Amino acid sequence: MAKAPDSTAVADKEQEGADTAVGVRRPPAPVAPRASRGFPSAVSRTGRVGALDGLRTLAVALVVVHHVEPDVLPGGAVAVDVFFTISGFVITRLLLAEYVRRGGISLMSFYRRRWLRLVPALLALCAVCALLASTTSLWGFDGSLQAAGLSAAFLTNVVRAMESGPYSELTRPLAHTWSLGVEEQFYLLWPLVLLFVLRRFRARTVLLCTAALCALPLLWRCVLWNPEAAHRIYNGTDTRADQLLAGALVAVALARLRSDDPRLTLLRTWSGRLAWPALALLGLVAWQVPVTEDLGVWTAVWYTVGFLAVAALSATLVMALELRPEARMSRLLALTPPAWVGRNLSYGIYLWHYPVVRLLASLGVEEGRLAATLVLTLLMALLSYYAIEKPFLRRARVGKVPAPAPALAVT
C-alpha cells in the first residue's frame, strides 16, 4: 500500500535539470534586490541534499520489507508518508527558485519535466504487467490490463478511494501506484496555487497560507471519518495533501530566511535536537503499528490526527537534513551507496517491487523470498534507470532555457 519515490527520487532529479541545458549547469541569472519578493534564500537553496537521497533509500527499503514480510514491519507503509513530505519539499523549493530567478513559473515546462521523469518508466511497468497477464497463467497478474490503464492515468488512488469494502481486483496487480496518483494530482494543482499566492501576497502571507492549507486536510478527515470511509481517507489526494504540504511549508520557511537570520539558527538547533527522536518514532510506527488495519479507536486517531503527526515528524527530518549536513545522521544517510540508490534507483525500486512480490508469490517461492525480491527488484530498477529513466531525464534537461525577465536581468 505504499509509493515512493516522487516520484520520491523523482522530484529531486529536477534539481539537476531545472537550470541545465544540454547537460551544462548555468549560473543563476542576476537578481535585483526587489526580485526576491521576500525569499532571499530561494535560489541558494536548490543544491542537492545527499542525506535526503539516503532517506529515500531507507524509506523504500521499509516499503519493500512491509510488502514481503508484513508481520516483520506491519507499519512499513508509513514510509510512503515520508516520501510525500520529501516530494513536497523538493518540488516547492524548485518552484520558488524559478519564481525568484525568472519572475514567474513556467507551468508547461514543469509538467513536461514531471512527465518525462515519471511516466515512461511507469508505462514500461504497465506494459510488462499487461503482457504477463495476457501470455501467462500467473494469478498475480490477473486483471493487469485494467489496472495498467488506471495506473497510467494516475487514477488508482481514485478507484481505491471509492471502494468501501475490501479492495477489488480492479487495481490489485498495481495497487502500489495509488501513491503515484496522489503525488501527480498534487503536482498538477499545487504549482497553480503557489503561483497564485506568490503573485498576490507578500512572502509572510505565502508562508501563512501554506500553513493554513496544511491544517485543512486534518479538518476534512475529521468530517469524513467513519470506518467505512477508511479507503476514502487513505487514498484521497485531498485527505493526504497535508503530508506533501508539510514539506512545502519547510521549503517556503527556509526560502524566507537569510543565512544570518537568528530564526534560521533557532530552526537549525531544534531540528537537530529533534531529528533522532523523529526518526525513532517513525521507526517505531513501522515496527509496531499496523496502520492499515482496523484497530478501533486507534484507527480513528491515526486516520485523522495521525497523518498530520507523521507529516510533522517527516518535516522535522527534512529540515534537519537540509540545515545540518555536518550532523551524524546527515553524514550517514549521505554516504555514497544509500545516496546513489536513493537518487537514481528509489523510483524504479518502488515501481517494480510490488509486481516482483506478486510474481514470486505466483511461482510459489517461499524460502528466501525477501532476498529474491530484493535482488530481482534491484535488477529491474537498474534496467529501468539506464534504459528508460536516464535517457528521458536527459531529454528533460535538453531544451531552450527561457530568458530571464528584464527586471531580473539587471542588478
Side-chain angles (χ1 to χ4, degrees), residues 188-376:
L188 182 65
L189 298 174
W190 174 236
L192 298 171
V193 175
L194 181 62
L195 184 59
F196 176 84
V197 296
L198 285 171
R199 285 177 171 174
R200 284 161 177 77
F201 302 113
R202 299 170 69 91
R204 182 180 179 183
T205 306
V206 173
L207 179 65
L208 294 175
C209 288
T210 307
L213 288 173
C214 285
L216 291 181
L218 169 62
L219 300 177
W220 184 225
R221 289 194 297 267
C222 292
V223 171
L224 289 176
W225 171 253
N226 68 71
E228 294 184 357
H231 292 341
R232 167 69 179 85
I233 291 173
Y234 194 88
N235 293 276
T237 301
D238 55 339
T239 50
R240 300 300 292 268
D242 51 342
Q243 300 188 316
L244 289 133
L245 288 167
L249 182 62
V250 173
V252 174
L254 296 184
R256 284 199 66 235
L257 302 178
R258 297 182 182 275
S259 59
D260 58 352
D261 194 309
R263 292 172 294 181
L264 187 64
T265 302
L266 192 64
L267 288 175
R268 182 179 292 111
T269 299
W270 280 101
S271 64
R273 291 175 179 174
L274 297 174
W276 282 108
L279 184 62
L281 285 173
L282 290 171
L284 183 63
V285 171
W287 179 38
Q288 290 291 325
V289 182
V291 297
T292 58
E293 294 184 11
D294 185 2
L295 300 176
V297 174
W298 166 253
T299 300
V301 173
W302 184 262
Y303 275 61
T304 51
V305 180
F307 289 158
L308 184 57
V310 169
L313 295 173
S314 302
T316 300
L317 277 178
V318 168
M319 184 177 294
L321 297 178
E322 165 73 13
L323 295 179
R324 298 180 63 90
E326 79 292 345
R328 180 177 299 177
M329 180 187 296
S330 296
R331 288 187 283 111
L332 287 174
L333 291 173
L335 290 173
T336 299
W340 188 87
V341 170
R343 179 169 62 253
N344 299 310
L345 300 186
S346 57
Y347 181 51
I349 291 172
Y350 186 81
L351 282 181
W352 286 98
H353 84 278
Y354 193 67
V356 168
V357 170
R358 294 181 69 85
L359 172 65
L360 295 177
S362 300
L363 294 174
V365 176
E366 293 293 340
E367 293 294 329
R369 186 171 55 175
L370 179 58
T373 299
L374 291 173
V375 171
L376 188 53

Side-chain angles (χ1 to χ4, degrees), residues 5-19:
D6 69 282
S7 337
T8 124
V10 303
D12 228 11
K13 286 292 185 181
E14 297 184 18
Q15 294 180 25
E16 302 174 8
D19 302 311

Side-chain angles (χ1 to χ4, degrees), residues 10-28 46-48 90-91 93-99 101-102 106 109-110 112-114 393-402:
V10 303
D12 228 11
K13 286 292 185 181
E14 297 184 18
Q15 294 180 25
E16 302 174 8
D19 302 311
T20 307
V22 198
V24 178
R25 183 169 293 282
R26 295 170 178 255
T46 55
R48 170 157 237 106
V90 172
I91 287 298
R93 72 173 187 167
L94 288 170
L95 293 172
L96 285 173
E98 181 179 354
Y99 183 77
R101 197 165 45 230
R102 308 193 183 284
S106 174
S109 178
F110 171 79
R112 175 179 177 271
R113 292 195 305 269
R114 301 305 302 151
L393 179 61
R394 192 176 298 118
R395 291 185 59 184
R397 294 174 183 173
V398 175
K400 184 178 179 180
V401 178

Side-chain angles (χ1 to χ4, degrees), residues 129-204:
C129 291
L131 181 64
L132 289 174
S134 60
T135 60
T136 73
S137 58
L138 296 170
W139 59 261
F141 297 94
D142 291 345
S144 287
L145 188 59
Q146 301 94 314
L150 293 172
S151 298
F154 297 104
L155 293 175
T156 301
N157 68 308
V158 175
V159 174
R160 286 164 64 88
M162 293 188 297
E163 296 178 331
S164 57
Y167 289 125
S168 70
E169 292 297 327
L170 186 61
T171 62
R172 197 177 300 277
L174 292 167
H176 66 306
T177 61
W178 72 271
S179 59
L180 296 179
V182 170
E183 287 201 356
E184 287 308 293
Q185 291 151 23
F186 178 82
Y187 294 157
L188 182 65
L189 298 174
W190 174 236
L192 298 171
V193 175
L194 181 62
L195 184 59
F196 176 84
V197 296
L198 285 171
R199 285 177 171 174
R200 284 161 177 77
F201 302 113
R202 299 170 69 91
R204 182 180 179 183

